[in-house]
Amino acid sequence: MTPVADTQALKPITDALAEGAGHLHIPDGAAMVLAVSGGPDSTALLHGAALLAPGRGWRLTVAHLDHALRSTSADEAAAVAATAAGMGLPAEIRRTDVTALAASEHRSVEDAGRQARYRFLEQVAASHGPETLIATAHTADDAVETILLRLARGSGLRGLRGIPARRGRIVRPLLHARRAVLRAALDTAGVAYVSDPSNADVAHARNRVRADLLPALERLNPAAVEALTRFGRLSADDDDLLDALAASELAQRRDPADASIDWHRPPARALGRRVLRQAIGDPAPSAERIDALLDAAEGPRGGLSIEMGAGRSASVRERRIRLE
């Protein structure tokens, strides 16, 4: 990675970042922690934000978590720190043994790394104040890959929303941009970045989607990414509407005296699932547990109890659902 050298060549990145910042209403003067892995997408975020920051008064901090998964990871962390210093930006660098973390938390290495990264970013942002934003470099390609993976796994509308542009203090101003456009701009400008060899490992489902499924869809429809991102937005709109309807339905059905839920006249299944998920809360029970509870509540028998996971249960008696 090298400091910004060719601002004109990087214009596709600054244009995309400015557009995304506008959609997200990132204000002038905002404090932002940039999640920079050293890969091409986060390198684009770093250089684009550094170019826009003077005119917008953004106060930037670079954050990099070394997952200790490759022999070169310490060198990559040092390169991120050096690039930040060359741009006059403060950097927070931390090393975590993600393999050991995955074993201790009984997670996959990928999931443990993601969780560790977001914990680290939240800690860095919190140290800079409650209004500090965290900017990640997710692209339209990432969002579509997520949608396709969840679709293949049988997800409902919630999963088909893809990656949210904003969640809490986390913002993704490049979520509408194509990965290839960002990388082409970096290459034209002569900006170096790290290529993670694990991205070519088709043992990972996401990499198979990236290498095989998405190109096949683009051969079928050259605008497949745009179509699928639109599908994600429509799914999000429908999901929000159903959540609002479910909240209203739950309020009408819940007895304030004992918090039981009246199920004498069951709603449509799609709405009923959401009513129960909202009533039970996080972590959300599996779809199988929710359907088992609905079957019990709508069936002829009473006096049934259904385990909801995480030490929770629900009982059905006289067409009323009680959560414990």
Side-chain angles (χ1 to χ4, degrees):
M1 296 172 63
T2 58
V4 171
D6 187 340
T7 57
Q8 186 59 36
L10 293 174
K11 192 172 184 299
I13 294 173
T14 53
D15 286 350
L17 187 59
E19 181 182 348
H23 289 322
L24 290 166
H25 306 293
I26 297 175
D28 289 351
M32 276 194 289
V33 172
L34 306 178
V36 180
S37 68
D41 300 344
S42 66
T43 298
L45 173 68
L46 170 59
H47 284 260
L51 282 170
L52 292 177
R56 296 173 179 246
W58 289 344
R59 291 166 288 131
L60 305 177
T61 299
V62 175
H64 174 89
L65 183 66
D66 176 359
H67 291 194
L69 293 174
R70 297 192 299 275
S71 60
T72 58
S73 66
D75 293 337
E76 292 162 9
V80 170
T83 298
M87 293 177 169
L89 299 177
E92 299 267 359
I93 310 293
R94 185 180 301 174
R95 183 179 176 89
T96 297
D97 187 341
V98 168
T99 301
L101 186 66
S104 67
E105 295 184 350
H106 306 289
R107 299 176 183 271
S108 68
V109 170
E110 183 180 14
D111 187 38
R114 185 179 66 84
Q115 296 286 345
R117 182 166 61 253
Y118 279 110
R119 284 196 297 266
F120 165 63
L121 293 171
E122 288 286 356
Q123 290 165 6
V124 174
S127 71
H128 287 79
E131 302 301 317
T132 301
L133 300 174
I134 297 168
T136 73
H138 291 92
T139 65
D141 299 75
D142 293 307
V144 168
E145 290 161 9
T146 297
I147 289 171
L148 291 172
L149 280 169
R150 292 176 179 172
L151 186 63
R153 293 167 183 162
S155 175
L157 280 177
R158 180 63 46 86
L160 300 182
R161 300 171 69 110
I163 300 174
R166 180 162 192 162
R167 188 181 73 246
R169 69 163 90 220
I170 298 171
V171 293
R172 299 182 171 97
L174 294 175
L175 197 59
H176 64 292
R178 292 301 307 271
R179 181 183 293 139
V181 172
L182 302 179
R183 296 185 185 189
L186 292 175
D187 293 341
T188 300
V191 176
Y193 48 82
V194 174
S195 295
D196 184 350
S198 68
N199 288 334
D201 184 357
V202 292
H204 300 297
R206 182 176 289 272
N207 291 345
R208 293 198 297 276
V209 170
R210 183 176 301 167
D212 300 325
L213 180 56
L214 191 51
L217 288 173
E218 289 186 300
R219 288 193 295 272
L220 181 67
N221 174 12
V225 169
E226 291 77 7
L228 285 165
T229 53
R230 184 169 62 252
F231 170 70
R233 289 194 303 272
L234 294 173
S235 296
D237 290 344
D238 291 348
D239 190 46
D240 289 340
L241 173 60
L242 286 169
D243 270 349
L245 293 173
S248 176
E249 187 79 13
L250 177 60
Q252 294 175 40
R253 290 175 177 273
R254 180 169 264 162
D255 186 336
D258 61 4
S260 65
I261 304 169
D262 182 1
W263 220 256
H264 282 85
R265 298 181 62 186
R269 265 280 160 131
L271 189 58
R273 291 189 184 99
R274 287 173 182 265
V275 168
L276 294 182
R277 286 197 187 97
Q278 289 189 12
I280 295 166
D282 293 326
S286 68
E288 291 77 15
R289 292 178 190 270
I290 290 289
D291 279 341
L293 180 54
L294 286 170
D295 289 341
E298 296 168 10
R301 296 176 57 200
L304 298 176
S305 182
I306 308 291
E307 293 298 321
M308 291 289 107
R312 300 164 300 177
S313 64
S315 61
V316 178
R317 196 177 302 274
E318 297 178 351
R319 293 281 184 169
R320 303 192 75 83
I321 299 172
R322 290 174 172 81
L323 304 175
E324 300 173 7

